Amino acid sequence: MTRTYDSRTGVEALILDYNGVAGLQPPTAMWTRLADLAEWPDRHLPSFQDAFWAPRNAYDAGQLSDLAYWAKVLGHHPGPRWLRTLRDADTAMWTHTDPRVLDTLYRARAARLPMVLLSNAPAHLSNVLDATDWRRELMDDALYSARLGLCKPDPAAYEHALAATGADDPGRVLFVDDREDNCRAAAELGLRTLHYTGQPAELATQLLPVIAERTGS
């Protein structure tokens, strides 16, 4: 559900989730390729995805190395070359961005709206995202769970992101995430929230009044 807000009260900064907002969800073909690389029995995608997600929170939080994570997924340790192949294919699934979302964010950036990325992401993916042009051009800072040692919806994650925006009042910061539980946790700390449901117009509707307010247009 989308929580709207009155732009007349002012928004001073944006905290943005990555995957499912700026980042596109991977299609079935990419999941199938990863399952094939993992040599998953019978190419049974649902059971592979269950195994993939079961230890993911710990991996995202930096509690598991690449090797420890994939050993849990596979049920055994992959060799070094196989591990790199799995890690790189996994990372590639999460690096495709939505140009419509980025267009709105570039407009917000032109209006000098401070923006901070807050993402649950393992270490290697964090490094890859940090090297992208859009990340360097749009975000004042990027906070990743593997570096923080904790994942959303832990309240401390939002506190770190709020501090990174430089805003004193959480009620003047908009948090955008595709998961409702993450939005609820942010709202409990006083942030404004937008539960993003995959429609770029939702984000534009919320940000364009703020952009106009900041540019006087």
Side-chain angles (χ1 to χ4, degrees), residues 139-151:
M139 300 296 157
D140 294 277
D141 202 352
L143 305 180
Y144 303 101
S145 55
R147 299 176 187 171
L148 294 174
L150 51 88
C151 293

Side-chain angles (χ1 to χ4, degrees), residues 99-192:
R100 299 166 298 176
V101 171
L102 292 188
D103 179 67
T104 298
L105 296 180
Y106 273 105
R107 296 178 68 177
R109 190 62 184 170
R112 300 180 182 273
L113 181 69
M115 292 186 284
V116 171
L117 194 70
L118 180 62
S119 176
N120 289 351
H124 186 68
L125 175 58
S126 303
N127 294 337
V128 170
L129 293 177
D130 265 351
T132 60
D133 290 340
W134 67 265
R135 151 63 185 102
R136 295 195 302 265
E137 293 166 357
L138 288 173
M139 300 296 157
D140 294 277
D141 202 352
L143 305 180
Y144 303 101
S145 55
R147 299 176 187 171
L148 294 174
L150 51 88
C151 293
K152 295 175 291 182
D154 189 311
Y158 305 99
E159 292 168 356
H160 283 292
L162 183 60
T165 68
D168 295 324
D169 181 2
R172 298 173 74 85
V173 177
L174 176 64
F175 172 72
V176 182
D177 199 289
D178 68 322
R179 283 178 46 174
E180 192 167 6
D181 58 336
N182 289 340
C183 288
R184 284 197 304 267
E188 288 174 2
L189 293 176
L191 282 85
R192 302 179 185 189

Side-chain angles (χ1 to χ4, degrees), residues 51-113:
F52 179 95
W53 288 117
R56 193 70 178 193
N57 199 66
Y59 185 41
D60 284 349
Q63 297 166 5
L64 297 175
S65 66
D66 295 335
L67 178 60
Y69 169 71
W70 279 104
K72 286 183 176 293
V73 174
L74 301 173
H76 56 85
H77 285 81
R81 182 178 297 178
W82 192 14
L83 175 62
R84 287 193 299 271
T85 297
L86 291 169
R87 185 201 63 186
D88 291 348
D90 176 10
T91 299
M93 292 206 309
W94 312 105
T95 56
H96 299 278
T97 52
D98 189 332
R100 299 166 298 176
V101 171
L102 292 188
D103 179 67
T104 298
L105 296 180
Y106 273 105
R107 296 178 68 177
R109 190 62 184 170
R112 300 180 182 273
L113 181 69

